[in-house]
Amino acid sequence: MERPAGRLVLLSELRVRNSAYDVSLSRCLLTWKRRVGSPVYHPFRPRFCVPVFPRPPDSGVCRSVPVSEIISVQEEEEENGSRQRDDGSWKKIKEGEGKDCRRAFTVFYVERSRQHRWRCAEVTFSCSDESLCHRWVNSIREQLATITSRPKHLLVYINPYGGKRQGKRIYEQKVAPLFAQAGLSTHVIVTEYANHARDHLRMEAELKKFDGVVCVGGDGMFSEIIHGLIWRTQIDNGIDLNCPEETLSSCSLRIGIIPAGSTDCVCFATVGINDPVTSALHIIMGDSQPMDVCSVHHNNTFLRYAVSLLGYGFYGDVLTDSERKRWMGPARYDLSGLKMFLTHHYYEGTVSYLPARGNIGTPRDTARCRSGCAVCQHNGTALLSEKAEKYEMEEASDSESDGEWRTIRGKFLAINAASMSCACPRSPKGLSPAAHLADGTTDLILVRKCSRFNFLRHLLRHTSKDDQFDLTFVDVHRVRRFRFTPRYCQSDSDLELDLHENSKRQIFSQICQDHPACGCAPAYSSWNCDGEILTHAAIDVRVHCQLIKLFARGIEDLPVFEDLNTPCAI
């Protein structure tokens, strides 16, 4: 038998059903390998039936599971003709399964499936020596206890109204049993109104009692969580939220997302699939994925935080129009998108941006942000080291004004800032496929005025393999900060008045060459900030590198799933 990687803790001959296995436990791996000549147990066909598809010799008889991906271990025993299974309890082995009186234990672990999906699998080992069985259980639990990154106490917020209103059912049926299996304690709060979770985190939650915060809902619920948690962290550290030049303090608590919303863009971009079980297992494993957060200010007044999309023009208009059709559910986005495409509004303004310097990677790279991303590690480390040097903000502002800022004026159909790929099941590539989660930058995408046909080409490339930036009217820049000022914005009161009046205008009006001159279309759009509408068009956006951490590890490459899912005859 090959020697397992790492220091060997235990090595024994145990049985799985009626087959003998050499089972070893190291500090890194739990491995079981069927002994030569031992019968193979096939649970879904007769034991001696010839398989339909022939297997290579000795295939599927050895399995290794990283200790870091073991969920828990439970003991089992034959006693008084009863069969029970609970945490730390004993369970009877049926008499027909063996002639000897055996003790047993079951190991629950993570098993990868297709499309980045995780599942809870289990394997039961048995032996006739009770002391040996106890030794195995204690050894596995000791190894699990050394994993300090795993949470023990979680604060859970459930949005019962998001998406298809299934949040509470999803948590109770799919997530809570897994948390109990792993021995996690939870404090559950079912939100009763908008921003309930945000307000509770700001003022009432005793955060020192918990190792993480979990939200059960969609992107809106996640936005509530980060606004409450970031606000609480900055206030505790005496940081002025209204000052865009302030360097924000990173949040110590990790955030877990159980997808139960309409799009769940953040979950999809950090895990690779919108599946409650997969997300729950990432939380149990104690995974940690840093993430950038953008702060949005207007005239030295804080507006909101953004983690995925800031969209002005097309995406802002779609959100504004869809808010009037909430009764339609998710279908409202399709209808509003069609209407905004047909109206073909463009907006004049000035975009100023601070390019990312000293970074590796560009918005048009073919490589994607994946688990253990080298770009995020390199760029994030560089930016955080600059932050640690504590240069005075006045000196930094002076250096930025000496020519680093770049300015673009024009007419735009859309101005988008993507801090992640913004991928979702309906758009697997997202708005910016090469955007990174934790490199301290955002991809600024400028779609200039063009024909409807060309704009349609750009939109369709979000769902195809073509480079969506390889168009003459599309510019993309990787930036650390940017500002936007609409051409016709003279005062805040004028802007708010125009937004109110434009909401009353008919959506299909005459088409001309210069919308503001004839007044057939609004002079201003609205910013779509992670699904929320901003009331100001003139904004100042700054990226804060790795401000929060999620219970995730980034999207794993598909070969990882293929290598770890070798067929096993157990």
Side-chain angles (χ1 to χ4, degrees):
M1 181 178 179
E2 297 181 0
R3 186 177 182 85
R7 180 180 175 183
L8 190 64
V9 177
L10 274 177
L11 176 62
S12 305
E13 177 186 343
L14 303 176
R15 301 187 70 85
V16 179
R17 299 289 183 168
N18 288 328
S19 301
Y21 281 76
D22 289 321
V23 186
S24 62
L25 174 68
S26 70
R27 296 191 182 279
C28 301
L29 289 175
L30 172 66
T31 304
W32 58 99
K33 182 175 182 179
R34 184 173 63 87
R35 288 200 161 192
V36 178
S38 182
V40 182
Y41 175 72
H42 298 288
F44 300 112
R45 62 175 182 266
R47 285 183 57 191
F48 301 103
C49 176
V50 178
V52 178
F53 300 101
R55 297 170 177 261
D58 292 330
S59 69
V61 296
C62 181
R63 184 67 185 267
S64 295
V65 174
V67 172
S68 61
E69 295 184 1
I70 295 177
I71 300 171
S72 64
V73 58
Q74 290 182 351
E75 296 173 305
E76 304 175 356
E77 183 191 38
E78 181 182 66
E79 181 181 9
N80 299 330
S82 61
R83 181 173 182 174
Q84 299 178 355
R85 184 154 108 186
D86 206 346
D87 290 339
S89 65
W90 298 93
K91 162 188 157 184
K92 176 184 175 180
I93 300 298
K94 291 184 178 179
E95 295 179 0
E97 294 181 359
K99 296 181 181 179
D100 55 336
C101 178
R102 284 178 276 162
R103 305 296 188 274
F105 62 94
T106 298
V107 176
F108 299 87
Y109 60 93
V110 170
E111 183 176 64
R112 290 168 171 79
S113 183
R114 294 182 179 180
Q115 299 178 339
H116 308 286
R117 191 182 302 271
W118 284 12
R119 285 290 174 262
C120 177
E122 63 180 81
V123 58
T124 299
F125 301 101
S126 61
C127 64
S128 57
D129 188 345
E130 182 176 358
S131 61
L132 179 61
C133 184
H134 278 296
R135 187 180 175 189
W136 268 96
V137 171
N138 293 333
S139 296
I140 294 176
R141 288 177 175 171
E142 287 174 2
Q143 296 303 312
L144 295 180
T146 62
I147 307 176
T148 58
S149 62
R150 292 193 176 186
K152 297 179 176 60
H153 310 285
L154 294 173
L155 177 59
V156 181
Y157 294 96
I158 301 176
N159 179 7
Y161 306 108
K164 297 181 180 179
R165 300 175 178 263
Q166 298 295 311
K168 190 174 181 180
R169 182 190 65 83
I170 288 174
Y171 178 79
E172 292 176 348
Q173 297 183 8
K174 296 184 177 182
V175 178
L178 288 174
F179 285 173
Q181 177 72 55
L184 295 180
S185 66
T186 58
H187 178 63
V188 180
I189 297 176
V190 180
T191 59
E192 301 175 356
Y193 51 87
N195 293 320
H196 183 177
R198 182 201 67 182
D199 297 340
H200 185 266
L201 280 170
R202 281 184 175 184
M203 307 302 297
E204 300 178 32
E206 299 182 37
L207 299 183
K208 294 182 179 180
K209 294 183 177 180
F210 303 101
D211 304 313
V213 181
V214 176
C215 65
V216 183
D219 293 331
M221 186 64 174
F222 175 73
S223 181
E224 282 194 38
I225 298 297
I226 66 169
H227 277 81
L229 199 57
I230 295 175
W231 187 92
R232 178 78 170 266
T233 302
Q234 309 320 310
I235 294 301
D236 290 346
N237 286 276
I239 295 175
D240 182 8
L241 295 175
N242 288 320
C243 179
E245 306 299 335
E246 287 274 15
T247 300
L248 303 184
S249 298
S250 300
C251 301
S252 58
L253 293 182
R254 286 169 289 176
I255 304 172
I257 307 174
I258 303 297
S262 300
T263 56
D264 302 304
C265 172
V266 178
C267 182
F268 193 89
T270 54
V271 177
I273 189 173
N274 290 333
D275 176 58
V277 172
T278 302
S279 295
L281 292 175
H282 277 287
I283 295 171
I284 293 172
M285 293 299 102
D287 289 338
S288 183
Q289 170 63 54
M291 179 180 288
D292 299 335
V293 176
C294 293
S295 61
V296 185
H297 289 78
H298 170 77
N299 290 344
N300 292 324
T301 301
F302 170 74
L303 298 181
R304 286 189 69 84
Y305 295 112
V307 295
S308 57
L309 171 67
L310 270 166
Y312 185 83
F314 178 74
Y315 289 102
D317 293 345
V318 168
L319 179 63
T320 302
D321 185 77
S322 67
E323 286 298 299
R324 309 186 191 104
K325 302 177 178 63
R326 297 191 67 90
W327 56 271
M328 293 181 61
R332 67 186 185 273
Y333 299 113
D334 296 327
L335 178 59
S336 295
L338 175 61
K339 291 173 64 177
M340 292 303 106
F341 171 76
L342 293 176
T343 55
H344 201 57
H345 289 158
Y346 67 84
Y347 304 92
E348 296 187 61
T350 301
V351 179
S352 302
Y353 63 91
L354 184 65
R357 57 180 181 178
N359 285 25
I360 59 175
T362 69
R364 300 185 67 174
D365 289 341
T366 56
R368 302 294 182 252
C369 185
R370 293 293 183 262
S371 181
C373 177
V375 173
C376 291
Q377 292 178 0
H378 176 273
N379 297 344
T381 302
L383 287 174
L384 292 176
S385 62
E386 290 180 12
K387 175 182 174 181
E389 292 175 359
K390 297 182 179 179
Y391 287 120
E392 293 185 2
M393 293 305 300
E394 291 78 8
E395 296 179 1
S397 299
D398 291 341
S399 65
E400 292 176 1
S401 63
D402 290 339
E404 292 187 16
W405 282 88
R406 300 178 184 177
T407 301
I408 299 176
R409 296 179 178 88
K411 301 174 181 179
F412 305 98
L413 287 172
I415 300 174
N416 302 320
S419 299
M420 61 176 65
S421 67
C422 297
C424 64
R426 301 183 65 178
S427 179
K429 288 174 53 179
L431 291 180
S432 185
H436 289 270
L437 294 171
D439 66 341
T441 67
T442 186
D443 288 350
L444 182 62
I445 307 167
L446 307 178
V447 184
R448 298 177 181 271
K449 179 186 175 184
C450 63
S451 66
R452 284 186 179 84
F453 175 74
N454 280 334
F455 188 51
L456 179 62
R457 290 172 56 202
H458 171 65
L459 294 177
L460 291 178
R461 290 193 177 190
H462 293 156
T463 59
S464 68
K465 295 182 179 180
D466 297 329
D467 182 0
Q468 57 216 56
F469 305 134
D470 188 21
L471 297 167
T472 57
F473 55 90
V474 178
D475 298 326
V476 60
H477 310 276
R478 184 152 288 176
V479 306
R480 296 171 60 179
R481 187 171 181 177
F482 75 92
R483 299 174 180 136
F484 174 73
T485 305
R487 176 181 175 184
Y488 295 95
C489 184
Q490 298 179 1
S491 68
D492 296 340
S493 58
D494 291 341
L495 175 59
E496 294 175 359
L497 178 61
D498 285 350
L499 288 175
H500 177 70
E501 292 177 351
N502 290 332
S503 66
K504 299 179 180 179
R505 295 180 182 177
Q506 292 184 355
I507 204 66
F508 296 105
S509 55
Q510 75 176 74
I511 301 173
C512 67
Q513 294 183 352
D514 194 353
H515 291 308
C518 71
C520 71
Y524 320 106
S525 178
S526 301
W527 280 98
N528 178 343
C529 180
D530 288 352
E532 298 293 332
I533 299 174
L534 299 183
T535 57
H536 299 282
I539 60 173
D540 182 356
V541 179
R542 180 182 176 185
V543 184
H544 298 271
C545 184
Q546 302 184 10
L547 188 63
I548 61 174
K549 291 182 180 179
L550 304 187
F551 283 111
R553 61 178 61 177
I555 299 176
E556 293 181 316
D557 287 323
L558 292 179
V560 173
F561 285 73
E562 296 171 0
D563 294 342
L564 295 180
N565 280 326
T566 304
C568 187
I570 299 175

